[in-house]
Amino acid sequence: MAGGLIGALPGQIGIATFSPRLDGHGNSVRGVSLFERFSSDMGLHVMEVPAAARAVVRSHHVVGSGPNALRVLQLQGGVGFAGAERVVQEAMDILPSDVRVALDLTRVYSIDDVARRVLLEVARRLTLAGHEVYLVDPEANPLTRLR
């Protein structure tokens, strides 16, 4: 008897669990439960293949110069878990000298719940690192400063 369970969604996530209590099929009871909850909470399903995560970040550029410079992460398309993870990677490249940062959602047509939480965490961490973070959202105010 074992209790190991391994799952993968190519281009999205790989996960493994180990818990020795097995069900009637020989699968880890806790592992199956975790996979089901993770899949539900994160919106992950093997039959719902997302567009390439790289395509979520349309551009990563600076507008202006000097103290008025604004680092812009322009996103596009539908943002899911894999795409939000790509935004995290881009945010890690933002320099401390880039005081003002904007997350531009003008070209985004959907954001799932997990991606929304990840993007808010990106904004929170950038703010904690001393950046002024702005959200460009056409469905809210054109430019909203996140605090």
Side-chain angles (χ1 to χ4, degrees):
M1 293 200 178
L5 195 57
I6 298 173
L9 283 174
Q12 294 185 71
I13 192 169
I15 187 171
T17 65
F18 180 81
S19 182
R21 195 175 81 193
L22 306 180
D23 64 15
H25 300 288
N27 295 316
S28 165
V29 172
R30 287 184 181 160
V32 168
S33 176
L34 176 74
F35 275 53
E36 287 172 346
R37 173 135 188 231
F38 208 65
S39 177
S40 173
D41 289 353
M42 306 273 300
L44 302 172
H45 192 279
V46 74
M47 296 301 184
E48 294 175 14
V49 180
R54 266 191 198 282
V56 167
V57 179
R58 180 179 175 86
S59 67
H60 184 166
H61 61 280
V62 175
V63 175
S65 61
N68 294 323
L70 176 67
R71 167 73 58 185
V72 179
L73 280 175
Q74 186 180 43
L75 310 183
Q76 68 180 1
V79 184
F81 170 69
E85 201 277 331
R86 178 70 183 153
V87 175
V88 170
Q89 291 174 3
E90 291 287 332
M92 289 173 48
D93 292 338
I94 294 174
L95 302 173
S97 58
D98 294 329
V99 176
R100 298 172 47 207
V101 178
L103 296 176
D104 183 353
L105 306 179
T106 333
R107 296 177 180 259
V108 171
Y109 60 79
S110 70
I111 302 176
D112 70 21
D113 289 338
V114 171
R116 182 175 287 108
R117 289 192 305 248
V118 170
L119 294 180
L120 288 172
E121 181 63 16
V122 165
R124 186 183 78 80
R125 288 184 183 217
L126 286 170
T127 301
L128 288 173
H131 300 279
E132 291 178 20
V133 181
Y134 298 88
L135 178 66
V136 181
D137 182 356
E139 294 190 16
N141 296 324
L143 186 64
T144 304
R145 181 171 177 191
L146 302 176
R147 297 172 198 261

